């Protein structure tokens, strides 16, 4: 059995009741605790900027209920094969010029073939050559593939658990929770940094959110980067009409992520386009210290650069200088 699965069955660092106790704190107490942890481990008022690019879009055989790129749902997403290198490089240069530190490339695959991986490796090497940190999210990895990516100079591999083990079957049927843990173990064993988080607003309960955070926090070591996505409700997907999550519950989720994984970079990921500025401000207070910059995530909209600049000015936040490789003050 691999380390991650075994770890779930050992005495965990964080129990679900202990995490639920954090969620239940008065909001001021929770925020104070999260911000205190944040300042012990990260520079104050600094936010790491990443840019996303969909390098292969749509026609995905998987059935993730939130995802506009699944071939099983009729959405407005237009399919596109692997993007040519020149186009990727143009996007990466644009991201760098706009102050991004990290360039994240996403592909709508269940799992890449060796040939598909050859193409992505070319992209990673070229983007890395621009002096950007690199991250890819390509689906499940087979033995040896994470090592190939590491050799190519990849920094992070993103692979989300998305939700708790108990709620997982409500959202995805075409791959298992343990499949995801296996890929995460391969990424870890290859010496890549792990970017792993989930989505809230899937109609789940607080217990489910606590379960997701418990699994992440009990990974040994926990991920270097934890994206917390708010569901982007896309017409045509099964979750298009999911009930809105209370914005303060989203803020609580960020705060609990920060407290349970002090040194990780907490990424305020999808969902900012529909989020009030005040909610985003509370997320930064709660310990979020990374965002995606630029008008598009993979296939859905994200706030314009100028809107984020204005928000940062109003909040007294600064983007991390582009050449800062490490955002935490300490190591786990
Ligand atoms: N196909 C690969 C996979 O799923 O492993 C990589 C790309 S996939 C689009 C990357 C992540 O995007 C998903 O795990 C999910 O967390 C997030 N995501 C996809 N659609 C979303 C949506 N509508 N709202 C919020 N997050 C979403
Ligand atoms: C992550 O956790 N969120 C990003 C990144 N990892 C790949 C993706 C968000 C996608 C939102 C839906 C879309 O734009 O298609
Ligand atoms: Fe495919 Fe990834 Fe979307 Fe799931 S989340 S349908 S695997 S692109």
């Amino acid at each position: 059995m691999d380390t991650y699965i075994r770890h779930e069955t050992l005495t965990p660092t964080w129990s679900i009741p202990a995490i639920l106790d954090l969620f239940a704190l008065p909001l001021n107490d929770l925020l104070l605790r999260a911000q205190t942890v944040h300042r012990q481990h990260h520079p104050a008022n600094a936010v790491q900027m990443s840019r996303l690019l969909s390098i292969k879009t749509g026609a995905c055989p998987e059935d993730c209920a939130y995802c506009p790129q699944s071939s099983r749902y009729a959405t407005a997403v237009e399919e596109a094969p692997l993007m040519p290198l020149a186009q990727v490089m143009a996007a990466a240069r644009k991201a760098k010029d706009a102050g991004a530190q990290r360039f994240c490339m996403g592909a709508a695959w269940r799992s890449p073939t060796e040939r598909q991986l050859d193409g992505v490796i070319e992209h990673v090497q070229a983007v890395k050559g621009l002096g950007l940190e690199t991250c890819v999210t390509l689906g499940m990895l087979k033995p040896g593939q994470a090592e190939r990516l590491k050799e190519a100079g990849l920094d992070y591999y993103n692979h989300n658990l998305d939700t708790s083990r108990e709620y997982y079957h409500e959202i995805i049927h075409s791959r298992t929770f343990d499949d995801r843990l296996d890929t995460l173990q391969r990424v870890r064993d290859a010496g890549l940094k792990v970017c792993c988080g989930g989505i809230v607003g899937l109609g789940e309960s607080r217990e489910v959110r606590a379960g997701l955070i418990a699994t992440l926090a009990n990974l040994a070591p926990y991920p270097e980067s934890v994206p917390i996505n708010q569901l982007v409700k896309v017409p045509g997907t099964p979750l298009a009409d999911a009930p809105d999550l209370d914005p303060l519950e989203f803020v609580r989720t960020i705060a609990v992520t920060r407290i349970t994984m002090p040194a990780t970079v907490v990424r305020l990921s999808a969902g900012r386009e529909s989020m009030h500025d005040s909610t985003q401000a509370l997320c930064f207070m709660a310990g979020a210290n990374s965002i995606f910059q630029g008008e598009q995530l993979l296939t859905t909209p994200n706030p314009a650069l100028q809107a984020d600049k204005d928000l940062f000015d109003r909040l007294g936040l600064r983007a991390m200088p582009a050449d800062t490789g490490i955002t935490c003050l300490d190591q786990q």
Side-chain angles (χ1 to χ4, degrees), residues 52 66-69 77 104-106 137 158-160 162 195-199 226-230 232 234 267 269-271 292 296-301:
L52 266 175
Y66 49 77
C67 187
Q69 301 199 68
V77 166
C104 309
M105 293 172 271
T137 181
N158 168 248
H159 195 64
N160 291 338
D162 280 339
C195 175
C196 179
I199 312 182
V226 177
I228 301 294
N229 296 278
Q230 177 171 275
V232 181
V234 182
R267 308 166 72 80
S269 298
F292 288 116
Q296 182 150 323
L297 292 167
L298 290 174
T299 65
T300 63

Side-chain angles (χ1 to χ4, degrees), residues 60 62 64 66-67 69-70 108-109 175:
C60 182
E62 302 287 279
C64 313
Y66 49 77
C67 187
Q69 301 199 68
S70 167
W109 286 320
R175 72 172 78 157

